[in-house]
Amino acid sequence: MTTTVTLRGPAAAVAYLLAMARSRGVRINRTKLTKLLYLADLRAVERGLPPGSGVEWRWRHHGPHSLRLAEIERDLREAGIIRVEETTDPFAGHRECLIHLVDAPQTDIDAEFAEIVNAVLADYGQWSAGQLRDLTCQTPPVREAIKQHRHEVRLDLAGGPPLPDLGSGLARLRRWAGSNPLPDDEPGGIDDLVEEVDQFAEHRTDATRHLLEE
């Protein structure tokens, strides 16, 4: 069955990666999905393109991760597009969550990023989750975060120091805006404008008459 819904944004990037992985016979679990999508974003930035996944990457002990991916997984599962199966990793022997693409959604995804996803799957699709975790931990953004011993920092995919976390600052601004609403109009602003228009009305009339006479 094919859904008529067109996915966009991060959900489209996830669904596209899963669809391409299925076409290649690549086994995808949560860790592999996360690391492959991160590698695709990293490769896009290296080529001067914006990261195509649309998620924010942070650093944990197990490498780059994004809390947004858990929300996307839940939404796609509730929509019947994916199925999540708990099983045992045949390579490492530990429990894992396999992600199966059930439906085949339409995805609105940048063509250049789609090519990058395909290339990343060709290069690393057969790697185990553990191998991908080790690989991503050696990438410049994660190495910069490790160097500073700062967990959960936002990764700069360009390889620079971790980015500042704007969450607390934005929260303060929202609280201030909530208690300091802007006035509908600047006091007296409209009246001043009307007065100014009236003052120049006669001059505009003379100028128009002069142009017509010419």
Side-chain angles (χ1 to χ4, degrees), residues 10-27:
V14 169
Y16 183 82
L17 190 151
L18 290 172
M20 294 301 100
R22 185 174 67 177
S23 69
R24 292 173 175 271
V26 173
R27 190 172 183 271

Side-chain angles (χ1 to χ4, degrees), residues 98-179:
L98 285 176
I99 302 178
H100 302 279
L101 188 68
V102 177
D103 207 348
Q106 297 290 327
T107 55
D108 183 0
I109 182 173
D110 179 77
E112 289 181 289
F113 187 67
E115 291 180 2
I116 291 173
V117 169
N118 292 336
V120 166
L121 280 168
D123 292 342
Y124 305 112
Q126 298 302 331
W127 287 33
S128 69
Q131 290 173 320
L132 288 171
R133 182 181 62 245
D134 293 342
L135 173 65
T136 56
C137 284
Q138 295 304 313
T139 58
V142 177
R143 288 173 66 88
E144 283 291 331
I146 293 173
K147 186 189 303 182
Q148 299 191 25
H149 304 287
R150 297 169 60 193
H151 293 89
E152 297 297 334
V153 291
R154 296 170 59 214
L155 297 177
D156 179 3
L157 297 190
L163 299 170
D165 200 328
L166 304 179
S168 59
L170 289 174
R172 288 196 298 271
L173 285 174
R174 291 191 181 99
R175 287 195 297 271
W176 182 90
S179 58

Side-chain angles (χ1 to χ4, degrees), residues 16-77:
Y16 183 82
L17 190 151
L18 290 172
M20 294 301 100
R22 185 174 67 177
S23 69
R24 292 173 175 271
V26 173
R27 190 172 183 271
I28 296 290
N29 60 26
R30 280 178 183 159
T31 301
K32 287 188 66 170
L33 173 65
T34 300
K35 307 315 180 194
L36 289 170
L37 198 59
Y38 167 79
L39 289 171
D41 271 353
L42 189 61
R43 188 170 293 190
V45 172
E46 289 171 349
R47 295 185 182 182
L49 302 171
S53 74
V55 304
E56 179 183 83
W57 295 105
R58 294 178 179 266
W59 171 57
R60 280 183 176 173
H61 283 304
H62 299 298
H65 79 104
S66 173
L67 295 177
R68 181 76 176 90
L69 293 179
E71 299 174 2
I72 295 169
E73 178 187 304
R74 180 201 62 210
D75 293 342
L76 293 179
R77 185 171 52 193

